């Protein structure tokens, strides 16, 4: 039986999942997005080309791969079509290989307006969202008033549902958030025009996935964001509005949990976070700036500078527990090259207690002080190293210590943005 793999970020997102997904599509035949929206951003570097993917799974660059967007994703037709156009202009065929669940919730301009107006209203207490409308779109889905992708196929029905939705949201925008209302006609015209282009991509994604599995095609379920941004288990309220754990792949794609055979956790060799919220190992010094500059830690969606800090074992421990991680991929090891000392946070101190796992909620995490262990760094470059034995001995010790603290083996080490800048210790699909 073919194996299916779920890949998830174990930190606060931006762990470098896109490159790993792209690498794994040597083996996978299909790639599935199951949550989030165009708040995600994977920058892929293929030869000379840099391509940012937001909604479309990273497998799209391989022309023999099918890509699926499950019903757990919130889909902005504007963002989706822009991405398709960019890819097709760059010579990547998308239509015919991208299958969009008819049950996915639509993310519309009113969601963007609400997200941005609310963040402004929160002022200093803002969450630091990507401003893409993700939260309001998920709210509408949960409130059962959301519009779904399939609604685009019936213009009269779409218009009636949109009237109802905008009656509510325009009221909030005008009278509570002091923001301009949206024009219903304009929103409907734009969405329906885009809908005509999206129509041919609509599919019964669960049925297609079931058929692919029956044919023995290995599937890759591609998580967006990171486990610590999970709506339930993350640093609430500084989280995104979806479940970003491995288990969400089952509900968000529409496959049974027994179809998820193994979980690959992506972890950066250090930690970053974009947006507000507690971050125990955050650095405000020269080393933090070094990580940001060498690691090019600027958001691929919003361009915001990411906050940087040391590796955090208690945070990883929580992710491993929540996701059932079977193997780790350590990314961006090369960013630590040249540091005389590398630090790992092995526990937190909170009041008189020592914790070895991240607690729940922002306030509890904010009260945690990191306990560090120092290891000697390495002066050699690890950029592009492809063999474990070619790594500096101190880099190997650092990775071994991460695996030891995690209690989970390291399957892959990523040593650069290119596909083949990868050390394979255990192939996740084998
Ligand atoms: P939202 O998902 O736009 O509502 O943003 C909520 C929080 O999640 C903010 O802190 C964002 O910076 C963060 N976030 C959302 N998507 C990503 C991502 O793909 N990578 C990293 N952080 C993200």
């Amino acid at each position: 039986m073919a194996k299916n793999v779920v890949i998830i970020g174990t930190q606060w997102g931006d762990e470098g999942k896109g490159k790993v997904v792209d690498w794994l599509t040597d083996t996978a035949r299909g790639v599935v997005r199951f949550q989030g929206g165009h708040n995600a951003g994977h920058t892929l570097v293929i030869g000379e080309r840099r391509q940012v993917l937001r909604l479309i799974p990273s497998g799209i660059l391989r022309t023999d791969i099918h890509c699926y967007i499950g019903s757990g994703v919130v889909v902005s037709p504007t963002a989706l079509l822009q991405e398709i156009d960019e890819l097709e202009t760059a010579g990547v065929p998308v239509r015919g290989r991208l299958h969009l669940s008819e049950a996915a919730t639509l993310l519309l301009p009113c969601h963007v307006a609400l997200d941005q107006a609310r963040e402004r209203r929160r002022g200093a207490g803002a969450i630091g969202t990507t401003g893409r409308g993700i939260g309001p779109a998920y709210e509408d889905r949960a409130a059962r008033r959301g519009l779904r992708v399939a609604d685009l196929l019936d213009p009269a029905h779409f218009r009636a549902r949109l009237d109802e939705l905008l009656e509510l949201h325009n009221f909030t925008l005008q009278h509570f958030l002091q923001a301009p209302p949206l024009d219903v006609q304009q929103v409907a015209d734009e969405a329906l025009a885009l809908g005509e282009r999206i129509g041919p991509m609509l599919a019964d994604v669960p049925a297609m996935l079931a058929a692919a599995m029956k044919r023995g095609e290995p599937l890759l379920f591609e998580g967006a964001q990171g486990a610590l941004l999970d709506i339930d288990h993350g640093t609430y309220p500084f989280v995104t509005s979806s479940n970003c754990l491995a288990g969400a792949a089952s509900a968000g794609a529409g496959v049974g949990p027994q179809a998820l055979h193994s979980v690959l956790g992506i972890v950066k060799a250090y930690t970053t976070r974009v947006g507000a919220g507690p971050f125990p190992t955050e650095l405000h010094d020269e080393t933090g700036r070094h990580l940001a500059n060498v690691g090019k830690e600027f958001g691929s969606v919003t361009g915001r500078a990411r906050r940087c800090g040391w590796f955090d074992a208690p945070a990883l421990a929580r992710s491993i527990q929540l996701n059932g991680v079977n193997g780790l991929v350590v990314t961006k090891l090369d960013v630590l090259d040249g540091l005389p000392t590398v630090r790992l946070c092995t526990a937190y101190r909170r009041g008189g207690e020592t914790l070895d796992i991240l607690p729940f909620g922002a306030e509890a995490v904010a009260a945690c002080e990191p306990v560090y262990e120092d290891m000697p760094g390495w002066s050699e470059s690890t950029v592009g190293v492809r063999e474990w034995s070619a790594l500096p001995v101190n880099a190997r010790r650092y990775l071994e210590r991460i695996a030891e603290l995690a209690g989970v083996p390291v399957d892959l080490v990523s040593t650069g943005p290119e596909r083949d800048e990868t050390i394979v210790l255990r192939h996740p699909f084998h």
Side-chain angles (χ1 to χ4, degrees), residues 12-14 39-41 115 127-132 134-135 224-225 229 238-241 273-276 304:
W12 283 282
D14 308 314
N39 49 346
D115 191 4
I127 290 166
T129 71
T130 60
R132 295 294 187 272
I134 305 297
Q225 288 81 52
L229 289 170
F238 299 98
V239 291
T240 191
S241 293
R273 174 163 204 165
V274 57
R304 290 182 292 176

Side-chain angles (χ1 to χ4, degrees), residues 142-277:
R144 293 163 292 186
R145 58 173 177 250
L147 280 89
R148 312 215 293 182
V149 177
D151 292 328
L152 288 168
L153 301 181
D154 181 345
H157 164 79
F158 181 87
R159 177 62 203 252
R161 297 286 315 278
L162 185 69
D163 280 351
E164 261 177 56
L165 192 70
L166 283 190
E167 195 183 352
L168 170 71
H169 290 329
N170 276 340
F171 182 85
T172 310
L173 282 166
Q174 276 184 288
H175 302 293
F176 182 63
L177 296 166
Q178 278 76 50
L182 283 109
D183 182 71
V184 187
Q185 186 68 44
Q186 197 185 339
V187 174
D189 289 347
E190 278 172 18
L192 291 169
L194 297 170
E196 280 178 28
R197 295 185 57 202
I198 285 176
M201 281 177 261
L202 294 202
D204 179 339
V205 167
M208 289 191 85
L209 295 177
M213 288 191 275
K214 213 166 173 185
R215 290 193 299 271
E217 296 176 8
L219 297 175
L220 185 59
F221 293 87
E222 177 185 357
Q225 288 81 52
L228 307 178
L229 289 170
D230 181 85
I231 179 91
D232 293 312
H233 301 278
T235 46
Y236 192 89
F238 299 98
V239 291
T240 191
S241 293
S242 64
N243 285 111
C244 3
L245 304 180
S250 172
V255 299
Q258 75 278 22
L260 313 175
H261 302 124
S262 122
V263 179
L264 195 59
I266 317 301
V267 59
K268 216 171 331 203
Y270 50 99
T271 312
T272 61
R273 174 163 204 165
V274 57

